[in-house]
Amino acid sequence: MESDTEQNSNLTLTVAAEAAGERLDAFLASQIEGWSRARLQRLIDDADVLVNGNAAKPSYKIRANDEIEVELTPRPSESFSPEDILIDVVYEDDALIVVNKPAGMVVHPAAGISGGTLANALAFHFQQLSTTAGKARPGIVHRLDKGTSGLLVVAKTESAHEHLANQFRAREVFKSYIALVHGQLEHRRGEIDQPIARDPRNRIRMAVVRGGRPALSLYRVRESFQRFSLLDVELKTGRTHQIRVHLASLKHPVVGDEIYGGGRDKTIVDAGIKREVARLNRQFLHAAELGFRHPATGDPLKFMAAMPPELQSLYDLIRSKALTK
């Protein structure tokens, strides 16, 4: 079966009896021309592949008459070149780099995005980066949303990449975010254990979906105000848009989130705060802490990054108004 890799296309495949027992990723690779097994595995991991309406693993053994829905996202541009873009390096050694990504920067090239990414910047500033994730993703082990700032670990060697990727898969990496949300949460601490998949009504969004991929977020209220709460959120899994989807599912969306906010930013009463939120042009979400084992030595490493100025400014404004009341 041929596929158009230049634009999004949706395929529905029905498993014939003779294909029963094959791995899902292997079956798709045999059916979809021009798509490598590795790229298809990424689609499966991102819940862009549904089996009988549910997310599945690449290793799932397909059964006769299974209905498989596949959303083929466009292939990124083949042209990739280093770019002299300033990046904030928090730590570097022979195996890895830790960077503090600003909001507004995409992590790596994708469909319609050929430059200006963190990957382009890394390729310019560092001679050695792992190639495990492909030419256009040098050193990239994990991602942050474009509108989210904070800490990312980058691999210099193939060995480091493999060790770090294994830690992410085993959920051994500590990832904690700072989020400002609308409203006051009922409990000071809690967990959100809700599966996430593509929103069946809007494929550019993610949603809490029955049968989606397991997703677990732990939150702690750091500070409460009349109309806002500042949270620490620890990710136990790494689904696309996980924190934003989970908090929106509690009716406490992240401030500045145009996709999952449900228009809550427009309901802000205080004119000064409303003006500052409008100027943000990003969601109030920052990857503040990152911890993992060094891929070469096994030593535990932990890094912290303070809120960027635009988030700190909004937080200070909200807090000052709360104190003056």
Side-chain angles (χ1 to χ4, degrees):
M1 178 180 296
E2 294 186 3
S3 63
D4 182 358
T5 58
E6 298 305 316
Q7 58 185 358
N8 275 47
S9 57
N10 297 292
L11 305 176
T12 300
L13 307 172
T14 302
V15 177
E18 56 267 26
E22 290 186 29
R23 282 175 56 112
L24 175 61
D25 55 356
F27 173 75
L28 293 180
S30 71
Q31 296 293 308
I32 305 173
E33 185 177 333
W35 285 71
S36 70
R37 189 163 168 175
R39 286 184 67 208
L40 290 165
Q41 286 173 344
R42 284 199 292 271
L43 288 183
I44 297 168
D45 287 338
D46 288 342
D48 287 330
V49 176
L50 301 178
V51 180
N52 302 322
N54 298 320
K57 295 181 179 180
S59 59
Y60 169 76
K61 298 297 179 63
I62 59 175
R63 302 172 182 175
N65 298 317
D66 274 349
E67 188 172 271
I68 303 173
E69 300 171 64
V70 186
E71 181 175 5
L72 297 174
T73 53
R75 176 195 305 270
S77 171
E78 293 297 327
S79 60
F80 176 82
S81 57
E83 296 180 31
D84 186 5
I85 302 170
L86 183 66
I87 50 178
D88 180 7
V89 176
V90 176
Y91 173 83
E92 180 189 1
D93 63 23
D94 292 339
L96 59 90
I97 308 153
V98 176
V99 300
N100 184 15
K101 184 190 85 69
M105 176 181 276
V106 175
V107 171
H108 56 70
I113 303 171
S114 59
T117 73
L118 177 63
N120 295 98
L122 289 167
F124 180 89
H125 291 287
F126 298 97
Q127 293 282 321
Q128 182 183 18
L129 294 167
S130 74
T131 58
T132 300
K135 178 184 175 182
R137 302 184 181 194
I140 302 299
V141 180
H142 62 124
R143 295 172 290 181
L144 291 176
D145 294 345
K146 177 182 177 181
T148 301
S149 54
L151 297 168
L152 277 165
V153 60
V154 176
K156 282 189 171 182
T157 67
E158 311 309 320
S159 174
H161 194 122
E162 180 182 3
H163 280 81
L164 290 166
N166 285 339
Q167 289 182 58
F168 276 98
R169 277 192 287 268
R171 303 182 184 178
E172 297 171 350
V173 177
F174 178 77
K175 299 167 289 182
S176 183
Y177 294 67
I178 297 172
L180 183 73
V181 302
H182 287 277
Q184 293 187 341
L185 281 78
E186 183 179 356
H187 304 290
R188 300 291 296 181
R189 292 176 179 270
E191 67 174 45
I192 312 168
D193 188 359
Q194 295 286 351
I196 289 176
R198 292 280 174 189
D199 188 334
R201 295 169 298 181
N202 183 347
R203 298 293 291 174
I204 67 169
R205 291 165 48 104
M206 307 300 288
V208 169
V209 177
R210 184 178 180 182
R213 297 185 69 79
L216 176 61
S217 305
L218 309 180
Y219 71 84
R220 178 181 68 86
V221 177
R222 182 188 288 198
E223 202 165 358
S224 287
F225 306 101
Q226 185 177 3
R227 299 180 184 274
F228 304 97
S229 298
L230 189 70
L231 310 181
D232 290 315
V233 184
E234 181 185 349
L235 281 185
K236 291 297 187 181
T237 51
R239 308 304 174 208
T240 301
H241 300 174
Q242 178 173 322
I243 292 176
R244 298 161 62 193
V245 171
H246 270 173
L247 292 174
S249 75
L250 295 184
K251 310 301 182 187
H252 297 289
V254 174
V255 171
D257 191 340
E258 294 184 353
I259 295 178
Y260 301 104
R264 288 288 291 276
D265 292 342
K266 295 178 181 178
T267 68
I268 296 172
V269 176
D270 186 282
I273 294 174
K274 190 172 187 176
R275 199 161 43 241
E276 284 298 310
V277 170
R279 289 173 182 164
L280 270 185
N281 198 30
R282 60 164 296 186
Q283 61 257 10
F284 198 120
L285 188 60
H286 175 66
E289 297 184 50
L290 181 65
F292 52 87
R293 289 178 287 105
H294 194 281
T297 67
D299 293 337
L301 299 175
K302 190 171 184 181
F303 303 93
M304 302 179 70
M307 282 192 288
E310 69 273 17
L311 299 189
Q312 186 69 50
S313 176
L314 176 57
Y315 163 72
D316 289 342
L317 177 62
I318 291 172
R319 193 167 189 275
S320 68
K321 288 180 177 288
L323 291 174
T324 56
K325 289 181 180 179

